[in-house]
Amino acid sequence: MSTTSTPQRPAVSRRHFLQGAAALGALGMAGSSLLTKGALAQSASKDTISACHWGVFRGHKEDGRLTALTPWEKDPFPSPQLPGVLDSIYSPTRIKYPMVRRAFLEQGPGADPEGRGTGDFVRVSWEKAIELVANELVRVRDTYGPTGIFGGSYGWKSPGKMHNCQTLLRRLLKLNGGFTNSSGDYSTGAAQVILPYVVGSIEVYEQCTTWPVLAENTELMVFWGANPLRNSEICWQVADHGSFVGVDLLKKAGTKAICIDPVRTETAQRLDAEWIAPRPQTDVAMMLGIAHTLYSEGLHDQGFLDKYTTGFDKFLPYLTGEVDGQPKSAEWASAICEIPADTIKDLARRFASHRTMLALGYSTQRQHHGEQVHWMLITLTSMLGQIGLPGGGYGLSYHYASGGAPTHNSPILTAMSDQPGGGTVAVGEPAWLAGGGTASIPVSRLVETLLNPGKKMDFNGHEIELPTIKLAYWVGGNPFSHHQDRNEMVRAWRNLETFIVHDFQWTATARHADIVLPATTSYERNDISQVGDYALSHIVPMKKLIDPVFESRTDYDIFTAIAHKLGKGYEYTEGKTEMDWIRGFYEAAMIEARAKGMEMPVFDAFWDSDEALEFPLLDEQKNFVRYADFRADPLLNALGTASGKIEIFSRNIEKMHYDDCPPHPSWMEPVERLDGPTTRYPLHIAANHPVKRLHSQLCGTSLREDYAVKGREPCWIHPEDAAARGLVDGDIVRVFNDRGQILAGLVVTDVIRKGVVRINEGGWFDPVDPRTPGSLCRYGDVNNLTVGIGTSKLAQGNCGQTAVAEVEKFEGPVPEIMVFSEPAAQKDASKT
Ligand SMILES: Nc1nc2c(c(=O)[nH]1)N[C@H]1C(S)=C(S)[C@@H](COP(=O)(O)OP(=O)(O)OC[C@H]3O[C@@H](n4cnc5c(=O)[nH]c(N)nc54)[C@H](O)[C@@H]3O)O[C@H]1N2
Ligand SMILES: Nc1nc2c(c(=O)[nH]1)N[C@H]1C(S)=C(S)[C@@H](COP(=O)(O)OP(=O)(O)OC[C@H]3O[C@@H](n4cnc5c(=O)[nH]c(N)nc54)[C@H](O)[C@@H]3O)O[C@H]1N2
Ligand SMILES: [Mo]
């Protein structure tokens, strides 16, 4: 069984961190105090500070009820989603009480699994709920072994070092003897597995050359499927919105921008970028066409390739067509991506003749054969030879969590370990990396596992045996939103005997659970975090703003109660309260700060100040250039690859002999794509990340009124595609393929490429008949349409951006949406 895991969101690489520390000493900042007495006194009258993925804010309370969230004074671009955050606390979709599915309660585990999602719940007491959960954890462990329990529980749980519900879950499951874990994530599942072979690190979450350096040096900024002005609205920790500042710097500098994307994005519009819209999923072909032009016109940098890379000689016969008779010329690429050959050649010449930064997003690897795109981009930029120069090369996180916002010189807050008795651990090295589970599967292969227990699966050079899973326990994630091929998933879920969920929202996942436990939001408990995944500019108190609403409890309290029931209460808590843990994380940071020559205020002063604690920004970090050190000395600063260089050909991958992941970047047809050779439907579905949501979060709030069309999830379509189908703006349409069907509300717009429709991920799944897989989704969950296969045998990532479908006008009576209210049976159910 492979235990390969990859960290989800490392903040800064260790190397940068040490550089920062050294620089600080040089600046003679030793002993400087970070929070003055004046600053503490001044803030006494302000509303309470708190924070979440969307940023720092202050909560205003009247009569015990939160009435407003005001953006933090220091947030340069506060998120327009904040009103939705407030609404999520009190919305009709809030889970109020512990609930159990009636068939499960009356007939036991595994009863009537087809009835999941029908909303037939019974309200139970907390005591009863805790007992049911504890009994199930013991029963399934004793019957099937610990791997019968799935605790992978992926998703965007709230930030906060204390109430990390996934750590809390794994801590409990470890005390119960173990569990099946998951590795990787849905964001960069393909790239994070292949890039260690190419550049020696997962790279996708590494800091990029900073925005100020770009503004000063970059002549051509290419946003390749990358949209900072939407995707950096949030962070995995607390959003700093530094990418918005960065894009403004480019705007002021007048930097020329190109957007390669089926959508003319917010970023493209803000920068008046040239818009190039290839067929989705054909980017590798287009990059090959550019690379071929560079080579055939002698524009490539052979010196860079010789000094800093290996394997170009093995890739070249593929590029020129020597091995397969097909030169990967601009003309060849044009036939695949539908961008004129002249445009492709022109791009090659402009890239080579300017200081060019290629910013690549994640969507292009969330596709069948998604491993190839990042590899090919790095190959292309290696040929351009600008990697490590100020403003040149490539960046893989300019669009994400404000990558490129300069990193402040701060200590890293520790967090609770998922190893009972393990104390605290450094963030960026999650405990589940070291501890793992008893077994582990690639995160997006759960449905495959449920359908094929015992099957052998290829994964990253290993063969893993898929475990038999009978109980899934989900906290802080929404698999009935995030996973692909919803109907296959609904069928697979029937193999579970028990499904337990904590959430504060009646998501489709909660609706499909057997036991639902109401968690608090972050705003009903205390916690602590850092601002900016890359910026790390402040340590911020995430203060409790109101008491828990209805019967909700913190995940920590819920798990503590279960641990007590299992006779492991003390092991679980180590005798510590919420505030004990938070104080501990802060005080560990104090020690680290002191070692770096900075004096942080004592915890009580920090906590009572209602302020975020700011850390200094050093010139060296402000002017950070990715790979400058590697470029300066490739021997001393060798990469973590087998050769220490960028690998355009990988012997390690070659040894795996995978038919769907060759040893150098290659164009391979995905299972389906727009105008593909075997594709049965005429429109590509771009399942992008939503503007006014975080995935499915806030879909149940008043924010929906800003974007829903006749109450449905919007479906953007090009005017010509609409006209060809007799459709007009505002129509309710049915979008369908062989896998599923959804309703959506039509938005006719020319900011989308012809042949592509856009339906954002995260719309709540609302099947007309939950007992019948394939039933119409009334609201518009796009994952009814996407494919459920893995990207390749190498990474087994998800393919959330692989889907084709057809759109037609919906005829007949429009079904009422049910998913934004409580499950009906709740109201008349009596307490047991
Ligand atoms: N087709 C397609 N599918 C996709 C994508 C795509 O691009 N296209 N994107 C993929 C990507 S990149 C991702 S990251 C995933 C996102 O998938 P998820 O992260 O699963 O999506 P969220 O909607 O953020 O779900 C988080 C859930 O956790 C709950 N929650 C938050 N805080 C807490 C807490 O403290 N305690 C408890 N108990 N619950 C809490 C929220 O209410 C919410 O229901 O989706 C993936 N799916
Ligand atoms: N507001 C908001 N921000 C978010 C999130 C959110 O839910 N809401 N989610 C966060 C998370 S978890 C993640 S992982 C990141 C995701 O970051 P990404 O995966 O980069 O985001 P996407 O929106 O899926 O896609 C980015 C762009 O790629 C384009 N695109 C799609 N397919 C193709 C293609 O085949 N080729 C090309 N060239 N372009 C294509 C899309 O049109 C879109 O403009 O975003 C994060 N930021
Ligand atoms: Mo993600």
Side-chain angles (χ1 to χ4, degrees), residues 9 81 156 187 224-227 230-234 260-263 265 278-283 361-364 366-367 399-400 684 686-695 761 801:
R9 317 282 160 180
Q81 295 184 40
W156 273 66
S187 313
W224 202 310
N227 184 11
R230 167 171 40 90
N231 292 64
S232 279
E233 217 173 271
I234 50 81
I260 303 177
D261 197 301
V263 174
T265 63
R279 285 191 182 112
Q281 307 194 89
T282 65
D283 302 274
Y362 300 155
S363 65
T364 50
R366 215 177 286 116
Q367 304 179 348
H399 66 292
Y400 177 75
H684 172 87
N688 291 1
H689 286 237
V691 184
K692 283 220 163 171
R693 285 198 301 258
L694 172 53
H695 313 296
E761 55 103 10
Q801 287 280 7

Side-chain angles (χ1 to χ4, degrees), residues 282-296:
T282 65
D283 302 274
V284 172
M286 186 167 154
M287 289 175 188
L288 281 164
I290 296 173
H292 185 275
T293 308
L294 291 176
Y295 185 75
S296 51

